[in-house]
Amino acid sequence: MHPYLKKIAKSYKENAIAADAPAMEAYMKHHFKFYGLKSPLRNAITKNHIASYGKVTYEDMQIIIKEAYAQPYRELHYFAMTLLETHHKNLQEQDIELVKWMVQTNSWWDTVDYIATRGAGALVKKYPTLGFEMDHWSTDENFWIRRIAILHQMKFKQQTDTNRLFNYCISNANDKEFFIQKAMGWALREYAYIDGKAVRAFLGKHQMPNLTVREATKHL
């Protein structure tokens, strides 16, 4: 294990509240093990770790992310995502493949949704031609990859490519997967804050799942 990762794993373990772990594991449907670190405590330890040991190099970041994802504890997966975000200025266009790997590995909504905006979304903003990669992702057989495509523009606001957003919803309109239906509604609701009229018009023209419509129209 990389020394940088070994140090944070040690800090997490030493400061964990073991009694909190069972409830955290249950909340994540027992897909992952937890040390027992709720977000405020984990974030404080992570912040102190980075302040004490500095940022790792771009090359080490990639190594540490994959090593962290190989560990069973969810807190270390969250640490890997933090590393990705702290290096947002250094990320290269080809790092979309690293992001995809992270989505496909230890997949669940908590990491996927974080990566959607801070990983894929950040890269598309920096390298707009990656929007074409999102087009491919929007029809991927892996529904987590499709969820990323649907959600990656969540922080784009007025810069949202509405054609992409609406087309992704159309291409997934018949999907029965809860996480896809929810993602479409969430993405449409977020854009409705910018242009509610466009979202209403879209929903009036296209048959969307009931869950999607409910989510999209919560504040319309």
Side-chain angles (χ1 to χ4, degrees):
M1 186 185 291
H2 192 286
Y4 193 81
L5 181 61
K6 188 178 290 186
K7 287 185 175 71
I8 192 67
K10 184 172 183 289
S11 294
Y12 282 170
K13 186 175 182 178
E14 290 176 347
N15 290 279
I17 301 173
D20 288 341
M24 297 172 76
E25 290 170 2
Y27 184 62
M28 290 298 161
K29 307 294 184 183
H30 298 284
H31 289 300
F32 313 100
K33 292 177 68 175
F34 279 82
Y35 286 118
L37 290 165
K38 292 184 178 179
S39 295
L41 177 57
R42 174 173 52 81
N43 290 339
I45 295 170
T46 302
K47 184 177 180 180
N48 182 65
H49 176 81
I50 295 174
S52 298
Y53 299 105
K55 284 175 60 175
V56 295
T57 65
Y58 170 75
E59 291 74 20
D60 279 352
M61 173 206 72
Q62 296 172 312
I63 294 169
I64 293 168
I65 283 175
K66 293 204 170 183
E67 287 190 358
Y69 261 58
Q71 306 306 312
Y73 292 98
R74 198 57 164 169
E75 289 95 339
L76 292 178
H77 306 163
Y78 298 152
F79 180 68
M81 297 188 307
T82 298
L83 280 190
L84 183 75
E85 186 175 11
T86 59
H87 275 270
H88 70 278
K89 291 183 179 179
N90 301 324
L91 293 180
Q92 304 299 310
E93 190 169 5
Q94 64 267 21
D95 287 320
I96 197 67
E97 292 303 319
L98 175 61
V99 168
K100 189 174 186 178
W101 178 87
M102 293 173 74
V103 175
Q104 294 171 315
T105 308
N106 301 320
S107 308
W108 199 240
W109 63 265
D110 55 335
T111 53
V112 168
D113 292 358
Y114 188 102
I115 295 167
T117 55
R118 295 171 175 85
L123 279 168
V124 172
K125 264 197 168 183
K126 189 174 183 179
Y127 304 102
T129 56
L130 285 177
F132 296 111
E133 185 69 15
M134 294 298 102
D135 294 345
H136 293 303
W137 287 21
S138 71
T139 58
D140 196 275
E141 62 180 14
N142 183 325
F143 72 83
W144 292 116
I145 296 293
R146 281 185 278 127
R147 184 173 168 97
I148 286 279
I150 294 166
L151 295 178
H152 83 276
Q153 297 189 88
M154 287 282 286
K155 295 182 181 294
F156 283 24
K157 299 186 182 298
Q158 287 87 352
Q159 295 178 309
T160 300
D161 184 327
T162 53
N163 285 332
R164 279 203 161 95
L165 171 60
F166 293 157
N167 284 335
Y168 295 173
C169 290
I170 292 170
S171 64
N172 286 279
N174 295 321
D175 198 296
K176 305 301 182 185
E177 172 57 53
F178 169 84
F179 287 109
I180 291 298
Q181 294 185 1
K182 188 87 169 179
M184 292 189 294
W186 188 16
L188 289 169
R189 183 173 78 234
E190 192 68 20
Y191 186 63
Y193 292 126
I194 306 302
D195 191 346
K197 185 177 179 180
V199 173
R200 286 193 199 93
F202 172 77
L203 293 173
K205 292 178 182 177
H206 301 281
Q207 186 69 39
M208 290 287 116
N210 291 335
L211 173 59
T212 298
V213 175
R214 286 199 304 272
E215 288 294 322
T217 58
K218 274 186 177 179
H219 302 296
L220 284 178

